Amino acid sequence: GLRPIPFIMTLEVSNQAARKEPLFVLYGSQTGNSEQSAEEFCKQVAKTYTPAFFQKHNLPPIQVETTCIQLDDFLELRRAEFTKCLVIFVSSYGVGQAPIGAYKFRSFAEKLLERSDPTILKGLHYAICGLGDSTYPTYLKNPTTIDQGLTAAGATRIGDLGKGDAHQIGDKAQDKVIARWIDDLWLPLAKTIADTDENVNVKQMQAKSIPVLLEIDPDIFPSTSSQGGVPILFLFIGILAAILAALVGSGILKLP
């Protein structure tokens, strides 16, 4: 009955020593499958990356904090605020086009491929799983283009490009392929997250990506490119609404 005690104490020490590491889990999804896969992956991160997992593989304990958002929201709302690792679940739509929530990221990847500047995303590591239906010959074109663009910008892929084919059944069914891809990802992703390479500069990745994004769409960041025009409009509407409410409340203005 005494044997579990040192194990419990080790977990407590590991929890105290665990450093926090952010991880963006990004998706672009037309039918919801990629989004569901991304959300499920985030849940699995919390269950898989325990102190015992890191201890088993002789890695320092890490508390991985995931953020699950659309690829385009990562660029527009988070302003390409890179973490040193990304995990991407994305499909194609139509004839190899980007699905909902990945239009801007597709353009970003194409521009990175065009520039082929390996300093833009130097130090970034990413894993990408493509979803689709092989009934359409271009079903992996979008994930492949994103993969090529990130690589051209100096990023390093972790593991293989996942290929979840909705047309397959049995052992090759999409959900089983994705599950195996995730299982194969746990250890190399953990090693990458645990690595304390001082040469990885996420702020520099962001700084070098923003000009590329502005080249794609000068209005991609409306709050900055409009120089406050949109916020001022909302402020004006708010003030007008407050004045009207006061007039109605005092009885000076009567609504029909």
Side-chain angles (χ1 to χ4, degrees):
L2 296 177
R3 291 183 65 187
I5 293 174
F7 181 62
I8 294 170
M9 289 174 64
T10 302
L11 286 182
E12 288 175 353
V13 171
S14 296
N15 275 326
Q16 291 172 358
R19 77 171 192 266
K20 295 180 179 179
E21 284 284 351
L23 174 67
F24 272 113
V25 180
L26 310 178
Y27 65 87
S29 190
Q30 193 71 28
T31 61
N33 289 339
S34 295
E35 180 179 4
Q36 184 179 347
S37 297
E39 290 174 349
E40 182 59 34
F41 176 79
C42 288
K43 293 175 185 176
Q44 290 183 43
V45 166
K47 295 176 183 177
T48 303
Y49 284 160
T50 61
F53 177 93
F54 289 97
Q55 187 181 47
K56 176 184 175 183
H57 297 289
N58 297 315
L59 295 171
I62 307 291
Q63 184 180 335
V64 182
E65 300 181 331
T66 57
T67 301
C68 186
I69 59 172
Q70 285 187 333
L71 285 151
D72 286 357
D73 286 344
F74 168 72
L75 296 180
E76 296 176 282
L77 303 182
R78 301 303 293 259
R79 285 172 163 72
E81 187 184 12
F82 284 95
T83 47
K84 65 181 181 181
C85 294
L86 300 178
V87 177
I88 301 171
F89 294 87
V90 68
S91 61
S92 294
Y93 176 67
V95 287
Q97 299 155 318
I100 293 170
Y103 305 132
K104 294 283 173 65
F105 204 95
R106 169 65 174 271
S107 297
F108 177 58
E110 289 173 338
K111 188 62 70 173
L112 292 176
L113 193 56
E114 180 186 310
R115 287 194 175 197
S116 291
D117 179 355
T119 68
I120 296 175
L121 297 179
K122 180 185 176 184
L124 175 69
H125 286 76
Y126 69 97
I128 181 167
C129 184
L131 287 75
D133 187 330
S134 60
T135 305
Y136 306 94
T138 55
Y139 86 108
L140 280 177
K141 184 175 181 182
N142 185 58
T144 300
T145 302
I146 291 174
D147 178 40
Q148 292 171 341
L150 295 176
T151 300
T156 302
R157 193 180 69 221
I158 304 170
D160 296 327
L161 169 64
K163 299 177 182 179
D165 183 0
H167 190 63
Q168 298 294 332
I169 58 174
D171 197 46
K172 294 183 179 180
Q174 187 180 70
D175 58 339
K176 291 185 179 180
V177 170
I178 294 171
R180 286 195 296 270
W181 181 83
I182 290 173
D183 284 343
D184 291 341
L185 180 63
W186 290 127
L187 184 54
L189 178 62
K191 287 180 177 178
T192 306
I193 292 172
D195 187 17
T196 54
D197 186 351
E198 294 179 358
N199 293 321
V200 177
N201 189 335
V202 292
K203 292 294 182 185
Q204 184 172 304
M205 295 177 203
Q206 182 183 34
K208 290 197 170 191
S209 295
I210 284 176
V212 181
L213 293 169
L214 290 172
E215 186 179 337
I216 295 165
D217 180 4
D219 296 320
I220 194 167
F221 310 127
S223 61
T224 55
S225 59
S226 63
Q227 297 183 350
V230 173
I232 289 172
L233 176 61
F234 285 131
L235 180 63
F236 175 77
I237 293 172
I239 292 171
L240 184 61
I243 294 171
L244 288 173
L247 291 174
V248 172
S250 63
I252 296 174
L253 180 66
K254 293 183 179 180
L255 296 177

